[in-house]
Amino acid sequence: MGRLAHTDGLTDIQQDILATVRDFVDKEILPVATDLEHRDEYPAQIVEGMRKLGLFGLTIDEQYGGLGESLLTYALVVEQIARGWMSVSGIVNTHFIVAYMIAQHGTPEQKDYFLPKMATGEVRGAFSMSEPGLGSDVAAISTRAVRDGDDYVINGQKMWLTNGGTAHLVALLARTDEGHAAPHRNLTTFLIEKEPGFGPNASVPGLTVPGKIAKMGYKGVDTTELILHDVRVPARRVLGVAPGQGFYQMMDGVEVGRVNVAARGCGVALRAFELGIAYAQQRRAFGKPIVEHQAIAFKLAEMGTKVEAAHQMMIMAARTKDSGRRNDLEAGMAKYLASEYAKQVVEDCFRIHGGYGFSAEYEIERLYREVPMLLIGEGTAEIQKMIIGRRLLEEYRITT
């Protein structure tokens, strides 16, 4: 470990967890990540290793069989996993968001039923808000759920589900008729249990996962659509005690998800810095290692500063949430800064590698294709700036 991306004030348990994860990343993820990514192969062995380490239950309360750790611990774990391969962090992120939403908003029965199985990784979660043509306008969701006796009947199409094929549980946002004039107050979260796989789902009539969406990066993890035609979901699988709370539940989940994306950005940036500074000491030009040329030394200085700044912003956002305070401002800032800095650090590493950065034999080629996802995942940079600006105005509004 170098000096960058350290976190002060961690407990012995947190330090042990991070040391274990860092060792797992170095031994089990980094050696195989690029090969698996080029084949777009789901990292089943890595996922099984994370399950054995208890990472799927990292933040789930001990009474449900989890480790009961904080958002900060989770974010630092994700930073290390993303340092190894960003796609793997995506496999745990949507699961984490769904578990968090159930823990925060679920009924006692929902917590007792889902959380123990989620803690062991037996059940893994996916998170579904977006729709084709919808983007960040969550209140405009058109997938509709209509009450029919003890069930809801859902029709619509969802988009961009990470783990959509491999997940056993989908937390899905749909429109219900709650009679409110404000569109966002007519949205409800449904917990839909399904069998993993693609095509028509054997356990849920009318539910289809068409297949994986082809992507420029973020490979290995399955990103899918979800088509619902007269899908029946029991009313007891509405998240929480009443419908119409879905918007607030999902936004709460996204808030912690943005800390996660910030952590991913930190991990990718850290790995790019590691690759860049190592290569700069090995590659020679004009009779000396290129690290001794001021142009490269300056670039490394900027990269290291950005790695450290993003990391500190990320841990601040996590600690704010852990303290029980509202953290949408801090999470938005952390997500915006970390994703933008990750892109810049990766590009600088790419430039340091010169022509070899364009070769698929070098790891930086993979990072260069992966990092753009951070610019759009959990809300684009523009959405983050809207959130940040709105919150700053609330804090600094002039009153007369």
Side-chain angles (χ1 to χ4, degrees):
M1 281 256 341
R3 184 167 176 175
L4 295 181
H6 278 239
T7 308
D8 292 331
L10 297 181
T11 65
D12 290 343
I13 292 175
Q14 288 174 313
Q15 292 179 30
D16 288 345
I17 290 172
L18 289 177
T20 300
V21 172
R22 194 179 302 117
D23 185 65
F24 179 78
V25 168
D26 289 341
K27 293 179 179 177
E28 305 296 334
I29 298 181
L30 280 171
V32 300
T34 296
D35 186 46
L36 289 174
E37 196 272 348
H38 286 169
R39 298 203 305 265
D40 196 9
E41 181 177 327
Y42 186 77
Q45 188 170 340
I46 293 173
V47 171
E48 179 61 19
M50 293 194 300
R51 191 188 67 79
K52 289 179 178 178
L53 289 176
L55 297 187
F56 287 102
L58 186 63
T59 61
I60 294 174
D61 196 273
E62 291 177 318
Q63 73 179 97
Y64 301 110
L67 297 179
E69 277 295 326
S70 63
L71 176 59
L72 174 63
T73 307
Y74 179 76
L76 295 174
V77 165
V78 165
E79 181 180 40
Q80 286 301 316
I81 293 173
R83 172 181 155 266
W85 183 12
M86 193 180 74
S87 293
V88 177
S89 66
I91 291 171
V92 294
N93 181 44
T94 55
H95 175 86
F96 160 71
I97 292 176
V98 176
Y100 172 84
M101 289 171 58
I102 292 172
Q104 292 296 115
H105 306 287
T107 65
E109 184 273 334
Q110 290 168 351
K111 295 177 187 179
D112 290 340
Y113 180 78
F114 288 111
L115 292 181
K117 291 182 282 189
M118 297 184 79
T120 63
E122 175 190 348
V123 166
R124 297 199 289 275
F127 176 77
S128 179
M129 284 198 303
S130 190
E131 296 180 0
L134 183 64
S136 298
D137 188 7
V138 177
I141 277 176
S142 61
T143 296
R144 182 170 293 276
V146 178
R147 186 69 183 257
D148 182 25
D150 292 332
D151 297 335
Y152 280 85
V153 179
I154 307 179
N155 285 277
Q157 183 178 0
K158 308 300 282 187
M159 193 72 176
W160 304 118
L161 278 79
T162 301
N163 299 321
T166 50
H168 308 77
L169 172 65
V170 178
L172 180 142
L173 191 62
R175 182 168 302 284
T176 51
D177 185 12
E178 307 306 320
H180 292 291
H184 69 278
R185 296 186 65 188
N186 295 302
L187 298 176
T188 299
T189 304
F190 293 89
L191 301 174
I192 302 177
E193 299 176 81
K194 71 176 190 65
E195 291 295 322
F198 299 99
N201 198 268
S203 64
V204 185
L207 182 71
T208 301
V209 182
K212 294 198 298 185
I213 298 170
K215 302 165 294 190
M216 67 178 286
Y218 200 41
K219 295 178 181 292
V221 60
D222 50 287
T223 305
T224 73
E225 300 175 70
L226 194 67
I227 298 171
L228 303 99
H229 178 70
D230 290 340
V231 171
R232 302 189 76 89
V233 178
R236 71 178 186 281
R237 289 294 172 253
V238 168
L239 178 62
V241 296
Q245 304 300 310
F247 180 82
Y248 305 102
Q249 295 163 348
M250 287 278 176
M251 290 304 100
D252 191 25
V254 166
E255 205 169 271
V256 296
R258 284 178 178 145
V259 175
N260 172 282
V261 175
R264 288 197 234 182
C266 291
V268 171
L270 179 59
R271 183 58 182 166
F273 173 82
E274 291 173 347
L275 293 172
I277 200 167
Y279 184 82
Q281 294 173 76
Q282 297 161 6
R283 173 76 165 140
R284 297 179 66 87
F286 303 103
K288 59 184 177 182
I290 63 173
V291 74
E292 296 180 18
H293 294 284
Q294 191 177 68
I296 301 300
F298 279 8
K299 199 174 291 293
L300 289 167
E302 293 171 0
M303 292 163 68
T305 301
K306 290 171 181 176
V307 167
E308 187 66 14
H311 176 82
Q312 297 301 331
M313 180 71 80
M314 179 268 290
I315 64 174
M316 179 189 70
R319 280 178 163 152
T320 300
K321 186 72 171 179
D322 283 334
S323 72
R325 291 177 288 159
R326 179 179 177 182
N327 86 326
D328 54 345
L329 174 63
E330 291 80 5
M333 286 181 168
K335 193 275 177 185
Y336 169 61
L337 190 78
S339 58
E340 293 292 335
Y341 275 2
K343 174 182 176 293
Q344 294 167 23
V345 172
V346 165
E347 183 164 330
D348 281 343
C349 178
F350 176 83
R351 291 171 183 269
I352 287 171
H353 278 72
Y356 288 106
F358 211 64
S359 168
E361 294 182 18
Y362 282 74
E363 189 178 338
I364 186 58
E365 178 267 348
R366 168 171 63 83
L367 269 60
Y368 198 82
R369 288 183 293 101
E370 288 178 336
V371 75
M373 197 286 292
L374 296 170
L375 303 174
I376 54 176
E378 307 291 6
T380 63
E382 290 71 26
I383 290 294
Q384 305 312 315
K385 287 188 277 190
M386 286 174 58
I387 293 169
I388 294 165
R390 189 181 303 127
R391 287 288 288 116
L392 289 174
L393 186 59
E394 288 178 14
E395 294 289 336
Y396 291 92
R397 187 182 299 279
I398 297 174
T399 57
T400 56

